Amino acid sequence: MSKQFYLPMRDANDPHKVTLIPVSEEVYTNITPETNRIRSRRQYHGQCCCPKQYLWKCDGDCDICEYRAAGDNLSLDYETEMHGDTFADTSDTEEIVTDQILMRQLLERLKELMPEAITVGQMSLDEDMSERKCLEQLNLKRSTYRTCHRIIFLT
């Protein structure tokens, strides 16, 4: 007996009504990570207050969800005017700087361990450079190229 997989489907007329529809495992495994990513990001920014026991209702369509919250909608690119002064939201500045430092350290370590990975990453960003051309220029095995590509682009 195979395991049955379900995804939530919100009623078009009543957004509070959610029905679970059976889907194949392939469809489930393709859609669920994206739905979870959307919900997690919204929860992090205070835009989702879905209780744990109702996560099964989450379909990733936060605009009509009953558990939608206002949260913070500010980013570093967003400017707010307050008492005539304009300022940018800098609440995540420390986290961004920490991430940048960590990324630099990781790239330096990667240069030591696998210097071709940086080159593969740079060549992959060139629109005219195909995988085959990269392999020929770098004289790499395809498996090494793919490993470098996965490391750089986290795929």
Side-chain angles (χ1 to χ4, degrees):
M1 186 169 156
S2 64
K3 185 174 179 181
Q4 184 61 53
F5 295 90
Y6 297 92
L7 286 176
M9 181 173 227
R10 201 173 302 274
D11 187 296
N13 298 322
D14 182 9
H16 299 293
K17 183 180 178 187
V18 176
T19 306
L20 293 177
I21 57 169
V23 294
S24 68
E25 181 177 5
E26 181 183 5
V27 170
Y28 181 83
T29 56
N30 285 333
I31 293 177
T32 303
E34 180 66 12
T35 301
N36 291 340
R37 185 193 65 76
I38 291 168
R39 185 184 59 253
S40 294
R41 186 165 182 89
R42 296 282 181 126
Q43 286 173 334
Y44 177 80
H45 288 283
Q47 298 168 347
C48 172
C49 60
C50 183
K52 191 173 184 177
Q53 69 265 27
Y54 293 117
L55 291 180
W56 63 270
K57 287 182 161 187
C58 184
D59 62 353
D61 189 0
C62 301
D63 293 332
I64 61 171
C65 181
E66 63 186 299
Y67 301 109
R68 182 175 173 216
D72 66 2
N73 291 316
L74 299 179
S75 72
L76 293 175
D77 300 328
Y78 184 84
E79 291 186 355
T80 306
E81 198 169 313
M82 183 176 192
H83 304 296
D85 297 329
T86 302
F87 64 93
D89 177 35
T90 56
S91 59
D92 293 330
T93 303
E94 184 177 321
E95 185 178 331
I96 291 169
V97 171
T98 303
D99 288 347
Q100 286 177 336
I101 292 168
L102 179 61
M103 182 57 80
R104 274 194 221 108
Q105 291 171 345
L106 289 171
L107 287 172
E108 289 301 318
R109 185 68 176 138
L110 183 60
K111 283 180 191 176
E112 293 172 20
L113 298 174
M114 194 177 221
E116 62 272 13
I118 304 297
T119 308
V120 165
Q122 291 169 337
M123 292 176 91
S124 295
L125 293 174
D126 183 359
E127 292 176 9
D128 298 330
M129 187 64 69
S130 68
E131 181 178 323
R132 183 170 289 171
K133 286 181 185 177
C134 289
L135 290 171
E136 290 171 3
Q137 280 192 353
L138 297 173
N139 196 25
L140 290 176
K141 292 181 182 177
R142 187 167 190 273
S143 59
T144 304
Y145 173 88
R146 298 299 296 159
T147 301
C148 293
H149 196 272
R150 278 189 212 104
I151 289 170
I152 292 296
F153 296 104
L154 300 173
T155 58

